[in-house]
Amino acid sequence: MTPNSVLQYSKLAKIIFPVLNLTLIDLPGLTKVPVGDQPADIEHQIRDMLLTFISRETCLILAVTPANSDLATSDALKLAKEVDPQGLRTIGVLTKLDLMDEGTDARDILENRLLPLRRGYVGVVNRGQKDIVGRKDIRAALDAERRFFLSHPSYRHMADRLGTTYLQQTLNQQLTNHIRDTLPTLRDSLQKRMFAMEKDVAEYKNFAPNDPGRKTKALLQMVTQFNADIERSIEGSSAKSVSTNELSGGARINRLFHERFPFEIVKMEIDEKEMRKEIQFAIRNIHGVRVGLFTPDMAFEAIAKKQITRLKEPSMKCVDLVVNELANVIRTCADTMARYPRLRDELERIVVSYMREREQVAKQQIGMIVDYELAYMNTNHEDFIGFTNAEAKAHQRQSAARNVANLGNQVIRKGWLSVNNVSFVRGSKDSWFVLMSDSLHWYKDDEEKEKKYMLPLDGIKLRDIESGFMSRQHKFALFYPDGRNIYKDLKLLELGANNLDEVEAWKASFLRAGVFPEKQTQPVQNEEEQQMTSQETSMDPQLERQVETIRNLVDSYMRIITKTIKDLVPKAVMHLIVNQVSEFMKDELLAHLYQYGDTDALMEESAQESQKREELLRMYHACKEALRIISEVNMSTLASAESAPPPPMPSNDYRPQIPRQAPAPPPSVARPAPVPPRGGAPGAPMIPARVPTPSNGAPEIPARPNVPKRPF
């Protein structure tokens, strides 16, 4: 048997998809042995391809098997049984009925007795190779097929249920049954879709793109909605569109005020040695040629003003960060007006331009706040240490530990952090950290039951670490400045998170706990520079005590000024930028838009919006038309069901019911009445006797005797 004949004989022929137009897919037969340049696994490839199609529940499987082969070895029936064990989608098709050996037939198979299928079998006789070569007409082939079944003694009684025409009717009936079964679900789906589109369609039904009244109304609505979105984003009153993934709008601005801005202030590099040297020079220059017996207050004022001036940089950076965040909020809210791109761009330009103007005003005003502090040194402040206390505590230096002492042993922050340079957690999930005022606790998870490590914070510093080229994490490290190991044999404990804001928040929390950033090391000096520095910084005990006193005074006064700046800068930013921008959008934004001149151009829709509207209307009318067709199909199906007799087969059967003509009754021949049995002769049929007609009704009809059926 050649490979071509194998493909022909064992063909898993047709898969019918129940859609409006039946899709016929002719699949290849199972090739057992690779031929020619076919791959070695050709059998597995074809099997996988067949299963890909016939496994779908929306497919009807035609298991085509030649009648002149053993049905038990049919590959088509075997695969169909695997994917359709109940036989709901399988119809058996027998071919080559005309090529069976003489004296054999497929009657038992076609009558569904040998290997039963729920859908049964349909026999067909196709053109042979000789007919194809001879260009035999399809109609002639169908007529020949019909004559074959009518003339064959084994098939003539079922000829109306055999043949290609009957197979076609069966598949058409399958499609009809499938559509009828899916109509309720399809109708519900269409109705739901129509109801979802009703609101938009009601707006678009009488839509006039060039109507001036509509454009004016849409402009007012867009501006009002934009203002409401900005207000909800800043004030945090939007309950419907709250983001659960990240901070945005007012929440990010709040974090800038209370975490990022204080961190930027603390990051200001204050070189202790350089400051003491400056204090020493200031004292000596003020004394001149005289030997000073008292600590000069002018040295304190000169050093304090220099430190106050440095507060301008983090204050201006705070303004820049808030402005950038506010610009992101404006851009996000303006994106909701993508329907009108020119209006969106113009509105964003107007608001951002006004915000930039307010940014300059805010920077000027915040610079003036610093200038106010420089203009007058209020040494009578209630929190200022004063000269008397400064001299009494000259032997003590203010440290971060004293600030932490006021916190007590309280929890400052909790959260997840990744530990990057510890081998046993590398590649695992993040660990849970609890930062307290005097220690850092490290747990396995947020239940805080299994503690891994506890790190005291005394003497620890913080350092930023650059992320690697392929890393998305933002990192920082904890370490001891004297080089001690901070965890086991590690000198650095690298901590990180995927979010930069999260890392900044942790660093600000470490500042509250007294863990300050590392100061940049000064370049190494040569011997001459070191000798000059030692000569300049060499002090007598009295001068050293005066330097320490001034240092304590500056430290006390700077704490007051820093506290004031931390309080006033956020207030100034909110008043001069955020609130002013909000007032501008409410009072003047609409007027600026009308000053644009051509409002019609502003309200010109984008091509995408026009296409979306047309698609919506088309979909709405399509759903409406589909519902109308479904209603008509239901009515016609109901009418045909009422007029047609009930089918003899179950309703869930896919095979069509073709009405069969009743056989003509035999000619009536007068027959003599049977003689009643006498004496109860055995074997004589029992004929019931007539019952007298009751007086109050019709006579009862006697039961028919049980006469055996006649053979065909």
Side-chain angles (χ1 to χ4, degrees):
M1 183 178 296
T2 63
N4 291 333
S5 61
V6 172
L7 292 176
Q8 183 179 1
Y9 292 156
S10 62
K11 185 171 294 185
L12 232 211
K14 281 86 180 174
I15 307 296
I16 304 301
F17 288 90
V19 292
L20 292 180
N21 293 321
L22 289 176
T23 302
L24 180 68
I25 301 179
D26 189 3
L27 296 176
L30 286 174
T31 300
K32 302 297 184 180
V33 179
V35 177
D37 58 351
Q38 293 179 346
D41 60 341
I42 183 65
E43 180 180 1
H44 299 288
Q45 291 186 20
I46 294 179
R47 180 183 177 86
D48 293 341
M49 181 182 65
L50 297 179
L51 292 176
T52 301
F53 286 98
I54 67 177
S55 298
R56 301 175 183 175
E57 294 296 330
T58 56
C59 297
L60 181 66
I61 305 173
L62 298 188
V64 180
T65 305
N68 57 356
S69 64
D70 190 359
L71 195 65
T73 62
S74 172
D75 294 330
L77 290 176
K78 180 176 180 297
L79 284 179
K81 192 70 174 177
E82 292 181 7
V83 299
D84 184 29
Q86 298 181 357
L88 299 177
R89 302 182 288 113
T90 304
I91 296 178
V93 178
L94 283 182
T95 62
K96 300 186 179 2
L97 291 171
D98 56 335
L99 300 181
M100 298 183 66
D101 295 337
E102 186 177 355
T104 61
D105 57 52
R107 178 173 179 174
D108 292 341
I109 299 175
L110 295 175
E111 291 180 351
N112 210 14
R113 292 200 302 262
L114 180 62
L115 189 63
L117 288 178
R118 185 168 183 175
R119 306 299 171 197
Y121 294 84
V122 178
V124 296
V125 175
N126 297 324
R127 294 182 300 172
Q129 188 64 33
K130 181 179 179 181
D131 298 332
I132 296 175
V133 173
R135 299 182 179 274
K136 186 176 183 179
D137 186 62
I138 296 294
R139 291 186 178 275
L142 293 176
D143 293 339
E145 179 188 45
R146 181 65 176 168
R147 288 193 301 270
F148 171 79
F149 288 125
L150 289 175
S151 60
H152 199 287
S154 299
Y155 308 137
R156 66 178 60 176
H157 67 285
M158 63 179 85
D160 56 344
R161 289 179 283 114
L162 299 175
T164 305
T165 304
Y166 177 76
L167 179 61
Q168 179 184 3
Q169 294 172 355
T170 302
L171 300 180
N172 289 335
Q173 185 66 31
Q174 160 65 23
L175 175 62
T176 303
N177 293 343
H178 175 75
I179 294 176
R180 181 186 59 197
D181 295 339
T182 57
L183 279 182
T185 304
L186 181 60
R187 180 175 56 249
D188 294 341
S189 177
L190 291 174
Q191 288 176 347
K192 290 179 181 179
R193 180 171 294 187
M194 279 192 63
F195 291 151
M197 294 186 293
E198 283 288 349
K199 183 178 179 180
D200 294 333
V201 170
E203 178 184 354
Y204 292 151
K205 278 184 177 178
N206 301 320
F207 184 81
N210 298 323
D211 184 11
R214 184 201 64 82
K215 291 184 177 181
T216 302
K217 181 180 178 181
L219 177 61
L220 294 175
Q221 290 177 346
M222 289 293 176
V223 174
T224 303
Q225 184 65 35
F226 176 74
N227 293 338
D229 292 343
I230 292 289
E231 182 178 0
R232 283 196 297 265
S233 181
I234 299 299
E235 299 298 331
S237 58
S238 177
K240 295 182 180 179
S241 57
V242 173
S243 175
T244 58
N245 299 324
E246 61 179 0
L247 296 179
S248 61
R252 293 179 66 90
I253 294 176
N254 178 71
R255 170 174 282 188
L256 292 176
F257 285 155
H258 300 291
E259 294 182 358
R260 185 68 181 272
F261 179 47
F263 181 72
E264 294 296 332
I265 291 179
V266 177
K267 275 192 352 181
M268 289 191 311
E269 298 178 1
I270 300 177
D271 192 340
E272 190 69 23
K273 293 182 180 180
E274 187 67 23
M275 178 178 286
R276 290 180 177 274
K277 185 172 67 172
E278 291 175 356
I279 295 174
Q280 175 189 350
F281 289 159
I283 293 175
R284 287 181 174 181
N285 290 332
I286 291 173
H287 287 161
V289 297
R290 301 183 301 274
V291 178
L293 300 177
F294 302 100
T295 303
D297 56 351
M298 296 298 295
F300 156 73
E301 184 173 346
I303 299 300
K305 286 185 176 181
K306 184 176 181 180
Q307 297 301 319
I308 292 173
T309 304
R310 300 181 62 194
L311 291 174
K312 281 188 177 181
E313 181 180 353
S315 300
M316 299 304 170
K317 186 172 184 179
C318 178
V319 175
D320 294 335
L321 293 174
V322 173
V323 167
N324 291 336
E325 184 59 38
L326 189 58
N328 292 333
V329 172
I330 294 172
R331 187 177 301 106
T332 302
C333 295
D335 287 340
T336 59
M337 294 182 291
R339 179 177 178 180
Y340 305 103
R342 292 187 179 181
L343 175 63
R344 177 194 59 194
D345 297 340
E346 183 64 18
L347 187 144
E348 183 178 347
R349 183 192 65 81
I350 293 173
V351 177
V352 171
S353 298
Y354 182 79
M355 182 187 64
R356 294 300 179 184
E357 295 177 3
R358 300 309 305 174
E359 177 187 2
Q360 300 303 320
V361 175
K363 288 184 176 181
Q364 182 181 1
Q365 293 295 326
I366 292 174
M368 292 180 65
I369 292 176
V370 179
D371 294 338
Y372 296 157
E373 300 295 342
L374 294 172
Y376 177 68
M377 309 290 291
N378 183 15
T379 55
N380 290 328
H381 196 279
E382 57 184 3
D383 295 333
F384 186 57
I385 192 173
F387 274 88
T388 303
N389 295 330
E391 291 178 350
K393 298 180 180 180
H395 62 282
Q396 298 178 353
R397 297 183 59 184
Q398 294 292 79
S399 63
R402 296 184 55 194
N403 297 331
V404 178
N406 297 328
L407 295 174
N409 194 21
Q410 67 178 9
V411 176
I412 298 177
R413 188 177 185 86
K414 295 182 178 181
W416 296 97
L417 287 173
S418 62
V419 185
N420 299 302
N421 60 336
V422 178
S423 60
F424 71 88
V425 297
R426 186 171 298 166
S428 61
K429 67 177 184 178
D430 298 347
S431 300
W432 182 260
F433 285 85
V434 178
L435 177 62
M436 306 186 73
S437 57
D438 59 352
S439 58
L440 177 65
H441 298 262
W442 181 0
Y443 294 93
K444 180 180 179 180
D445 50 37
D446 54 357
E447 295 182 359
E448 300 182 10
K449 293 182 180 179
E450 183 179 346
K451 181 184 291 187
K452 293 184 178 180
Y453 194 65
M454 192 275 289
L455 179 66
L457 299 180
D458 293 338
I460 290 181
K461 294 293 184 181
L462 185 146
R463 174 191 300 171
D464 289 328
I465 298 180
E466 294 184 0
S467 301
F469 177 72
M470 298 298 294
S471 175
R472 296 183 178 179
Q473 278 200 334
H474 304 274
K475 305 175 184 178
F476 65 96
L478 303 177
F479 68 99
Y480 286 111
D482 56 3
R484 288 182 293 162
N485 293 337
I486 192 170
Y487 176 76
K488 294 185 178 180
D489 58 345
L490 298 176
K491 297 185 182 300
L492 286 176
L493 182 61
E494 296 183 5
L495 306 176
N498 293 328
N499 192 348
L500 178 60
D501 293 336
E502 188 71 16
V503 172
E504 296 292 341
W506 271 101
K507 291 194 290 188
S509 299
F510 274 105
L511 289 179
R512 292 183 57 196
V515 179
F516 295 94
E518 176 190 22
K519 306 299 179 183
Q520 293 183 356
T521 57
Q522 298 293 335
V524 180
Q525 298 177 343
N526 53 34
E527 295 181 358
E528 295 181 359
E529 292 177 346
Q530 291 179 358
Q531 184 177 2
M532 293 178 59
T533 302
S534 62
Q535 292 177 359
E536 291 174 352
T537 57
S538 60
M539 295 181 290
D540 56 7
Q542 182 179 358
L543 181 58
E544 185 176 356
R545 186 174 63 253
Q546 292 178 354
V547 170
E548 189 65 29
T549 300
I550 296 297
R551 178 68 183 88
N552 291 336
L553 289 173
V554 171
D555 190 33
S556 175
Y557 194 76
M558 286 304 299
R559 283 201 300 271
I560 298 173
I561 300 303
T562 301
K563 183 178 179 180
T564 302
I565 294 297
K566 287 181 180 179
D567 181 61
L568 290 181
V569 169
K571 293 178 179 179
V573 171
M574 286 297 299
H575 173 68
L576 297 174
I577 300 180
V578 179
N579 293 343
Q580 290 293 328
V581 170
S582 299
E583 293 295 329
F584 170 79
M585 290 190 299
K586 293 178 181 178
D587 300 337
E588 303 181 27
L589 178 58
L590 196 59
H592 281 73
L593 288 174
Y594 278 115
Q595 290 179 0
Y596 180 77
D598 191 0
T599 56
D600 291 340
L602 284 178
M603 300 307 297
E604 183 178 350
E605 283 188 329
S606 63
Q608 293 80 3
E609 185 64 25
S610 177
Q611 182 179 0
K612 177 183 176 182
R613 183 177 64 254
E614 294 176 359
E615 182 68 20
L616 180 65
L617 292 175
R618 187 191 64 80
M619 182 65 67
Y620 178 80
H621 292 302
C623 292
K624 192 173 181 179
E625 180 66 16
L627 287 174
R628 185 188 64 80
I629 295 175
I630 290 175
S631 300
E632 294 179 356
V633 170
N634 286 338
M635 294 301 295
S636 61
T637 303
L638 181 61
S640 61
E642 292 177 352
S643 60
M649 300 184 68
S651 60
N652 58 357
D653 200 302
Y654 284 86
R655 293 179 60 182
Q657 305 303 321
I658 299 179
R660 301 177 61 182
Q661 296 181 358
S668 58
V669 179
R671 299 174 60 188
V675 179
R678 297 180 181 179
M686 298 297 296
I687 308 268
R690 293 184 177 272
V691 181
T693 304
S695 59
N696 56 352
E700 295 184 3
I701 300 175
R704 180 180 294 275
N706 187 12
V707 180
K709 296 182 179 180
R710 296 174 180 172
F712 286 94

